[in-house]
């Protein structure tokens, strides 16, 4: 049962701690599963484990975890690190987005349910005005208490929804008010972004598009060479393993090379998953960057040659700027999540086990080594740099 498995895992981690063997519950569970799968005759799935079976399993797992020169154990550690880190960071990312949506939703509700006592309710309109500003700041991820941000938003809001029109806003239906509030967010944020671009304000806003592009490039430059090297290492191991398999008689050496190859293949696989996500984000950021540049150029032309521009022309452009900024901001958060996971994975760039010398692998493939006896071959050469 699940309770029994948890007790076994807990006992494994307790014994490892007493022996100063670094492990986690997840790693202990992974290794226990590996031991069970490797011994189907001992751990049959159709019967309960006896006390001796459990003790044998625990001893085997602790012994496996204590190994210092074991590529297969290092591969399990890598899998546990990657899976655990990815799940944790994804949860943190989702929680942050959910918290932001909840915070905005609460203020949005306050805005939508607020009733004014007529068009001359100065106090009520002041409260509504403050709530709208708070909602717009929260939607863009900025502090409601930042006075500079408040003034920027208030100035942009005045050009879209003057205080004199607050009563008209307050009397519309709840659903319409929610849609109108979202429109206000887009228009106000777009105005602030445009003001930032022309050097007339928006100083409290970060350049989300530029930051996402920088983060994307930085992550890409870190992963690409490692992925290339890991794939080359796998290819070198694969050629050596194929040669040994054809020649025969060296099972211990062949297994060692296969274990090291599997470790590098797993590392390359994880890096490849990053590379795929980066390519998707890169394609989207190219579209966002082009869209932002086009909107900015069109706005400069419109605003530059007229003293007053019809809102029907500029509001869609402000909305587009705001949407691109929000999307870039979310991509940047996602890239930060990937960076944290990649940082954890990078601990396995250089294997902790003794790596088979690259020159020896090359010599195998080139047939520079004489055939080895069928019983016990020479010790696996060690040292040298990682392939």
């Amino acid at each position: 049962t699940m309770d029994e498995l948890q007790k076994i895992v807990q006992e494994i981690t307790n014994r490892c701690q007493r022996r100063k063997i670094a492990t986690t519950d997840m790693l202990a569970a992974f290794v226990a599963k590996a031991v069970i799968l490797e011994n189907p005759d001992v751990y049959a799935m159709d019967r309960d484990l006896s006390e001796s079976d459990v003790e044998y399993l625990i001893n085997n797992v602790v012994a496996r975890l204590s190994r210092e020169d074991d590529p297969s154990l290092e591969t399990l550690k890598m899998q546990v690190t990657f899976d655990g880190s990815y799940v944790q960071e994804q949860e943190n990312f989702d929680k942050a987005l959910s918290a932001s949506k909840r915070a905005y939703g609460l203020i949005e509700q306050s805005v939508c349910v607020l009733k004014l006592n007529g068009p001359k309710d100065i106090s009520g309109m002041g409260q509504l005005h403050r709530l709208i500003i708070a909602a717009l700041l929260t939607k863009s991820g900025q502090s409601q208490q930042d006075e500079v941000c408040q003034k920027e938003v208030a100035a942009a809001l005045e050009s879209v929804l003057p205080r004199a029109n607050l009563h008209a806003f307050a009397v519309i239906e709840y659903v319409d008010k929610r849609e109108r509030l979202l429109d206000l967010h887009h228009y106000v944020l777009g105005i602030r972004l445009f003001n930032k671009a022309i050097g007339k304000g928006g100083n409290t806003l970060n350049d989300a598009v530029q930051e996402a592009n920088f983060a994307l490039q930085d992550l890409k430059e870190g992963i690409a060479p490692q992925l290339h090297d890991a794939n080359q290492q796998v290819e070198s191991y694969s050629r050596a393993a194929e040669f040994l398999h054809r020649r025969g008689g060296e099972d211990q050496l062949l297994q060692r090379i296969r274990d090291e190859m599997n470790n590098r293949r797993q590392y390359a696989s994880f890096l490849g998953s990053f590379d795929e996500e980066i390519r998707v984000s890169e394609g989207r950021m190219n579209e966002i960057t082009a869209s932002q540049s086009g909107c900015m150029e069109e706005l400069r032309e419109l605003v530059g040659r007229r003293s007053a521009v019809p809102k029907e022309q500029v509001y869609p452009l402000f909305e587009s700027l705001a949407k691109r900024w929000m999307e870039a901001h979310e991509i940047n958060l996602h890239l930060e999540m990937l960076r944290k996971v990649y940082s954890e994975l990078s601990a396995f760039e250089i294997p902790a086990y003794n790596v088979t010398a690259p020159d020896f692998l090359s010599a195998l493939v080139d047939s520079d080594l004489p055939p080895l006896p069928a019983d016990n071959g020479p010790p696996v050469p060690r040292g040298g740099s990682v392939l």
Side-chain angles (χ1 to χ4, degrees), residues 216 219-220 223 274-283:
L216 191 62
L219 196 57
K220 183 179 178 181
I223 289 173
F274 283 123
D275 187 62
E276 289 178 7
E277 293 202 50
I278 288 173
R279 289 178 185 275
V280 172
S281 296
E282 187 174 34

Side-chain angles (χ1 to χ4, degrees), residues 306-356:
R306 301 182 187 179
S307 57
V309 184
K311 64 181 182 180
E312 292 80 8
Q313 289 183 298
V314 293
Y315 279 12
L317 296 173
F318 289 143
E319 181 178 5
S320 181
L321 280 181
K323 287 181 176 179
R324 301 295 83 77
W325 186 91
M326 292 292 291
E327 191 172 356
H329 176 68
E330 187 165 328
I331 289 175
N332 201 21
L333 292 177
H334 180 70
L335 291 173
E336 176 62 17
M337 181 202 82
L338 292 182
R339 188 194 64 77
K340 291 178 179 178
V341 179
Y342 168 62
S343 178
E344 294 289 328
L345 180 66
S346 293
F348 298 91
E349 178 185 2
I350 300 177
Y353 51 83
N354 294 320
V355 178
T356 301

Side-chain angles (χ1 to χ4, degrees), residues 48 123 203 255:
D48 294 334
S123 176
N203 296 327
Q255 186 58 50

Side-chain angles (χ1 to χ4, degrees), residues 85-106:
S85 179
Y86 199 98
V87 168
Q88 183 61 57
E89 294 302 332
Q90 184 67 56
E91 286 180 357
N92 292 341
F93 175 75
D94 293 339
K95 285 179 181 177
L97 290 183
S98 296
S100 177
K101 290 178 180 178
R102 281 197 304 272
Y104 173 75
L106 289 173

